[in-house]
Amino acid sequence: EEFRTNNSALGYDEAVPGGPFVKIGVGVLRKGSEPRYAFTIPFEILDTGRWSARRRGDRVEFTQTLKGPAGYAYVYSKRVMLVRGRPELVLEHRLRNTGSRTIETTVYNHNFFVLDNLPSGPGFTVRFPFELKAAGDLRGLAEVRGNQIVYLKELAEGQSAGASLTGFGADAKDYDIRFENRAAGAGARVTADRPIDSLYFWTARTTVCPEPYIRLRIEPGRETSWRIRYEFYTLPGAGPN
Protein backbone atom coordinates (compact mmCIF):
# COMPACT_ATOMS: atom_id res chain seq x y z
CA GLU A 1 0.00 0.00 0.00
CA GLU A 2 1.16 3.57 -0.69
CA PHE A 3 0.05 7.03 0.40
CA ARG A 4 0.12 9.90 -2.10
CA THR A 5 -0.79 13.57 -1.77
CA ASN A 6 -1.62 15.19 -5.12
CA ASN A 7 0.46 12.45 -6.74
CA SER A 8 3.29 13.51 -4.45
CA ALA A 9 4.02 13.34 -0.70
CA LEU A 10 3.29 15.51 2.35
CA GLY A 11 5.37 18.68 2.21
CA TYR A 12 7.30 17.66 -0.92
CA ASP A 13 6.33 20.63 -3.07
CA GLU A 14 7.20 23.18 -0.37
CA ALA A 15 10.47 21.53 0.61
CA VAL A 16 13.69 22.93 -0.86
CA PRO A 17 16.19 20.53 -2.47
CA GLY A 18 17.89 18.75 0.39
CA GLY A 19 14.99 19.56 2.72
CA PRO A 20 12.69 17.08 4.47
CA PHE A 21 9.24 15.83 3.49
CA VAL A 22 6.97 13.08 4.82
CA LYS A 23 5.93 9.77 3.29
CA ILE A 24 3.23 8.17 5.47
CA GLY A 25 4.21 4.63 6.39
CA VAL A 26 7.85 5.29 5.56
CA GLY A 27 9.03 8.38 7.47
CA VAL A 28 10.83 11.65 6.86
CA LEU A 29 12.74 11.67 3.56
CA ARG A 30 15.22 14.09 2.00
CA LYS A 31 14.14 15.82 -1.20
CA GLY A 32 16.57 15.56 -4.09
CA SER A 33 17.04 17.86 -7.05
CA GLU A 34 14.06 16.50 -8.99
CA PRO A 35 11.34 19.16 -9.45
CA ARG A 36 8.56 16.58 -9.35
CA TYR A 37 8.00 13.64 -7.02
CA ALA A 38 7.99 10.10 -8.40
CA PHE A 39 7.56 6.94 -6.35
CA THR A 40 10.28 5.25 -8.43
CA ILE A 41 12.95 7.69 -7.21
CA PRO A 42 15.03 6.46 -4.26
CA PHE A 43 15.12 9.00 -1.40
CA GLU A 44 17.36 9.11 1.64
CA ILE A 45 15.44 8.26 4.81
CA LEU A 46 16.13 10.76 7.59
CA ASP A 47 13.75 9.41 10.23
CA THR A 48 11.61 6.26 10.22
CA GLY A 49 9.76 7.30 13.38
CA ARG A 50 9.10 4.79 16.13
CA TRP A 51 7.76 1.39 15.05
CA SER A 52 6.14 -1.30 17.14
CA ALA A 53 4.49 -4.62 16.32
CA ARG A 54 2.03 -6.85 18.15
CA ARG A 55 1.06 -10.33 17.04
CA ARG A 56 -1.49 -12.96 17.90
CA GLY A 57 -2.29 -16.30 16.32
CA ASP A 58 -4.43 -14.86 13.53
CA ARG A 59 -3.12 -11.29 13.17
CA VAL A 60 -0.22 -8.88 13.35
CA GLU A 61 -0.47 -5.12 13.90
CA PHE A 62 2.19 -2.58 13.01
CA THR A 63 2.21 0.98 14.38
CA GLN A 64 4.36 3.90 13.28
CA THR A 65 4.57 7.08 15.38
CA LEU A 66 6.20 9.98 13.55
CA LYS A 67 6.84 13.65 14.31
CA GLY A 68 7.82 15.18 11.02
CA PRO A 69 8.70 18.63 9.68
CA ALA A 70 6.40 21.55 8.87
CA GLY A 71 3.73 20.57 11.39
CA TYR A 72 3.12 17.04 10.06
CA ALA A 73 2.88 14.28 12.67
CA TYR A 74 0.80 11.13 12.98
CA VAL A 75 0.25 7.69 14.47
CA TYR A 76 -0.45 5.09 11.77
CA SER A 77 -1.57 1.53 12.56
CA LYS A 78 -2.19 -1.34 10.19
CA ARG A 79 -3.58 -4.72 11.22
CA VAL A 80 -3.29 -7.74 8.93
CA MET A 81 -5.82 -10.33 10.06
CA LEU A 82 -6.98 -13.75 8.91
CA VAL A 83 -10.66 -14.59 9.45
CA ARG A 84 -10.93 -17.82 11.41
CA GLY A 85 -12.61 -20.64 9.51
CA ARG A 86 -12.98 -18.62 6.30
CA PRO A 87 -10.64 -17.93 3.35
CA GLU A 88 -10.47 -14.19 4.07
CA LEU A 89 -7.81 -11.61 4.77
CA VAL A 90 -8.68 -8.24 6.33
CA LEU A 91 -6.55 -5.09 6.42
CA GLU A 92 -7.61 -2.64 9.13
CA HIS A 93 -6.06 0.83 9.23
CA ARG A 94 -6.10 3.80 11.61
CA LEU A 95 -4.45 7.16 11.05
CA ARG A 96 -4.43 9.79 13.82
CA ASN A 97 -3.22 13.31 13.10
CA THR A 98 -1.03 14.42 16.01
CA GLY A 99 0.43 17.43 14.20
CA SER A 100 -0.71 20.99 13.62
CA ARG A 101 -1.56 20.68 9.90
CA THR A 102 -4.41 18.87 8.18
CA ILE A 103 -3.37 15.64 6.49
CA GLU A 104 -4.87 15.28 3.03
CA THR A 105 -3.83 12.18 1.16
CA THR A 106 -4.93 9.20 -0.87
CA VAL A 107 -3.94 5.59 -0.21
CA TYR A 108 -4.11 2.58 -2.50
CA ASN A 109 -3.02 -1.03 -2.74
CA HIS A 110 -1.06 -2.27 -5.74
CA ASN A 111 -2.96 -5.60 -5.55
CA PHE A 112 -0.35 -7.66 -7.37
CA PHE A 113 -2.56 -10.68 -7.98
CA VAL A 114 -1.02 -13.97 -9.11
CA LEU A 115 -2.79 -17.33 -9.59
CA ASP A 116 -0.79 -20.54 -9.98
CA ASN A 117 1.97 -18.53 -11.71
CA LEU A 118 -0.23 -18.31 -14.81
CA PRO A 119 0.83 -15.59 -17.28
CA SER A 120 -1.55 -12.67 -17.71
CA GLY A 121 -3.72 -13.30 -20.73
CA PRO A 122 -7.06 -14.77 -21.89
CA GLY A 123 -8.75 -16.58 -19.04
CA PHE A 124 -8.16 -13.74 -16.59
CA THR A 125 -10.97 -11.25 -15.98
CA VAL A 126 -11.35 -8.33 -13.59
CA ARG A 127 -14.96 -7.36 -12.82
CA PHE A 128 -16.52 -4.31 -11.19
CA PRO A 129 -20.15 -3.53 -10.18
CA PHE A 130 -20.34 -0.62 -12.64
CA GLU A 131 -19.79 0.09 -16.34
CA LEU A 132 -16.16 0.88 -16.98
CA LYS A 133 -14.56 3.57 -19.10
CA ALA A 134 -10.83 3.49 -19.77
CA ALA A 135 -8.93 6.78 -20.05
CA GLY A 136 -5.84 5.27 -21.59
CA ASP A 137 -4.52 2.76 -24.08
CA LEU A 138 -4.24 -0.87 -23.03
CA ARG A 139 -2.07 -1.40 -26.12
CA GLY A 140 -4.17 -4.12 -27.68
CA LEU A 141 -3.34 -6.47 -24.81
CA ALA A 142 -6.62 -6.05 -22.94
CA GLU A 143 -9.84 -4.10 -23.29
CA VAL A 144 -12.89 -2.92 -21.37
CA ARG A 145 -16.13 -4.79 -22.04
CA GLY A 146 -19.02 -3.44 -20.00
CA ASN A 147 -18.05 -3.91 -16.36
CA GLN A 148 -15.06 -6.15 -17.11
CA ILE A 149 -11.46 -6.00 -18.21
CA VAL A 150 -10.62 -8.93 -20.46
CA TYR A 151 -7.33 -9.95 -22.05
CA LEU A 152 -6.93 -10.20 -25.81
CA LYS A 153 -3.61 -12.02 -25.80
CA GLU A 154 -1.03 -13.48 -23.49
CA LEU A 155 1.49 -10.87 -22.40
CA ALA A 156 5.11 -11.53 -23.32
CA GLU A 157 8.10 -10.85 -21.10
CA GLY A 158 8.60 -7.11 -20.78
CA GLN A 159 5.09 -6.21 -21.95
CA SER A 160 2.82 -4.13 -19.72
CA ALA A 161 -0.20 -1.88 -20.03
CA GLY A 162 -2.13 0.47 -17.79
CA ALA A 163 -5.03 2.91 -17.83
CA SER A 164 -7.08 5.06 -15.50
CA LEU A 165 -10.65 3.81 -15.12
CA THR A 166 -13.86 5.69 -14.41
CA GLY A 167 -17.54 4.84 -13.98
CA PHE A 168 -17.65 4.36 -10.19
CA GLY A 169 -19.91 6.39 -7.95
CA ALA A 170 -19.53 8.01 -4.55
CA ASP A 171 -20.75 4.98 -2.57
CA ALA A 172 -18.51 2.35 -0.99
CA LYS A 173 -20.57 -0.37 -2.71
CA ASP A 174 -18.63 0.35 -5.91
CA TYR A 175 -15.43 -0.70 -4.17
CA ASP A 176 -16.10 -4.32 -5.10
CA ILE A 177 -13.55 -5.92 -7.40
CA ARG A 178 -13.40 -9.55 -8.53
CA PHE A 179 -10.26 -11.07 -10.03
CA GLU A 180 -10.76 -14.52 -11.58
CA ASN A 181 -9.16 -17.14 -13.78
CA ARG A 182 -11.29 -19.99 -15.02
CA ALA A 183 -8.38 -22.27 -15.86
CA ALA A 184 -7.19 -22.04 -12.26
CA GLY A 185 -10.77 -22.27 -11.06
CA ALA A 186 -10.16 -19.54 -8.48
CA GLY A 187 -10.73 -15.89 -7.76
CA ALA A 188 -10.52 -13.13 -5.21
CA ARG A 189 -12.98 -10.42 -4.21
CA VAL A 190 -11.82 -7.09 -2.76
CA THR A 191 -14.22 -4.79 -0.90
CA ALA A 192 -13.79 -1.79 1.38
CA ASP A 193 -15.81 0.46 3.66
CA ARG A 194 -14.77 3.62 1.77
CA PRO A 195 -15.68 4.81 -1.72
CA ILE A 196 -13.22 4.77 -4.60
CA ASP A 197 -11.63 8.16 -5.22
CA SER A 198 -9.73 7.12 -8.35
CA LEU A 199 -8.95 3.83 -10.04
CA TYR A 200 -6.02 2.55 -12.07
CA PHE A 201 -5.41 -0.78 -13.78
CA TRP A 202 -1.93 -2.08 -14.55
CA THR A 203 -0.73 -5.44 -15.78
CA ALA A 204 2.45 -7.23 -16.78
CA ARG A 205 3.03 -10.85 -17.74
CA THR A 206 3.42 -11.88 -14.10
CA THR A 207 0.58 -9.98 -12.43
CA VAL A 208 -2.88 -8.38 -12.72
CA CYS A 209 -3.29 -5.19 -10.70
CA PRO A 210 -6.53 -3.24 -10.15
CA GLU A 211 -5.54 -0.29 -7.94
CA PRO A 212 -8.41 1.57 -6.20
CA TYR A 213 -7.53 4.76 -4.31
CA ILE A 214 -9.22 5.99 -1.11
CA ARG A 215 -9.15 9.69 -0.14
CA LEU A 216 -8.49 10.79 3.45
CA ARG A 217 -8.72 14.20 5.11
CA ILE A 218 -7.76 14.32 8.78
CA GLU A 219 -7.71 17.53 10.75
CA PRO A 220 -5.31 18.02 13.69
CA GLY A 221 -6.34 15.96 16.69
CA ARG A 222 -8.68 13.76 14.67
CA GLU A 223 -8.47 10.10 13.62
CA THR A 224 -9.89 8.08 10.75
CA SER A 225 -10.05 4.37 9.95
CA TRP A 226 -10.74 2.18 6.95
CA ARG A 227 -10.96 -1.54 6.20
CA ILE A 228 -10.21 -3.62 3.11
CA ARG A 229 -11.36 -7.24 2.86
CA TYR A 230 -10.03 -9.99 0.56
CA GLU A 231 -12.20 -13.06 0.03
CA PHE A 232 -10.69 -16.03 -1.84
CA TYR A 233 -12.92 -18.57 -3.55
CA THR A 234 -13.15 -21.35 -6.11
CA LEU A 235 -15.21 -21.19 -9.28
CA PRO A 236 -17.71 -24.07 -9.55
CA GLY A 237 -17.25 -26.22 -12.62
CA ALA A 238 -14.14 -24.44 -13.81
CA GLY A 239 -10.55 -25.65 -13.94
CA PRO A 240 -8.95 -28.32 -11.77
CA ASN A 241 -10.07 -29.00 -8.23
Side-chain angles (χ1 to χ4, degrees), residues 103-125:
I103 293 176
E104 296 193 60
T105 186
T106 58
V107 60
Y108 73 101
N109 197 314
H110 281 286
N111 287 326
F112 273 35
F113 285 118
V114 179
L115 271 177
D116 293 349
N117 292 318
L118 291 169
S120 300
F124 279 102
T125 59

Side-chain angles (χ1 to χ4, degrees), residues 27-230:
V28 180
L29 309 180
R30 188 189 305 279
K31 184 177 181 177
S33 59
E34 299 83 8
R36 298 186 64 183
Y37 173 87
F39 75 95
T40 55
I41 298 173
F43 294 98
E44 179 187 357
I45 299 177
L46 301 176
D47 182 10
T48 60
R50 186 175 74 254
W51 283 90
S52 64
R54 296 186 301 170
R55 63 183 181 183
R56 292 170 52 186
D58 60 352
R59 69 193 64 188
V60 60
E61 183 172 345
F62 306 92
T63 300
Q64 181 193 33
T65 302
L66 183 80
K67 184 176 182 180
Y72 289 116
Y74 62 82
V75 178
Y76 170 55
S77 296
K78 176 178 176 178
R79 178 183 296 163
V80 182
M81 180 172 62
L82 297 173
V83 179
R84 291 180 183 272
R86 300 172 64 178
E88 294 183 16
L89 172 72
V90 177
L91 305 181
E92 296 180 337
H93 314 76
R94 297 192 313 276
L95 183 59
R96 185 166 77 248
N97 186 347
T98 58
S100 59
R101 297 182 63 177
T102 298
I103 293 176
E104 296 193 60
T105 186
T106 58
V107 60
Y108 73 101
N109 197 314
H110 281 286
N111 287 326
F112 273 35
F113 285 118
V114 179
L115 271 177
D116 293 349
N117 292 318
L118 291 169
S120 300
F124 279 102
T125 59
V126 184
R127 291 191 285 117
F128 301 82
F130 51 86
E131 295 291 305
L132 289 166
K133 295 181 181 178
D137 183 10
L138 292 173
R139 303 173 58 186
L141 302 173
E143 69 178 11
V144 167
R145 294 181 185 171
N147 69 332
Q148 300 183 63
I149 297 172
V150 298
Y151 283 82
L152 304 178
K153 59 180 66 176
E154 182 178 307
L155 274 65
E157 291 288 345
Q159 282 188 314
S160 65
S164 294
L165 304 174
T166 59
F168 51 86
D171 195 293
K173 65 180 177 58
D174 280 350
Y175 196 129
D176 189 343
I177 305 166
R178 291 181 182 265
F179 157 80
E180 298 177 346
N181 184 283
R182 300 210 54 88
R189 182 187 183 191
V190 191
T191 56
D193 59 359
R194 292 291 190 103
I196 297 173
D197 180 72
S198 60
L199 179 61
Y200 193 78
F201 174 78
W202 184 82
T203 185
R205 178 177 172 83
T206 54
T207 188
V208 179
C209 313
E211 302 176 349
Y213 287 69
I214 290 171
R215 181 166 296 277
L216 307 172
R217 187 179 191 277
I218 313 159
E219 297 178 350
R222 304 298 294 271
E223 178 178 293
T224 193
S225 63
W226 65 102
R227 172 185 284 200
I228 302 173
R229 181 181 297 271
Y230 294 81

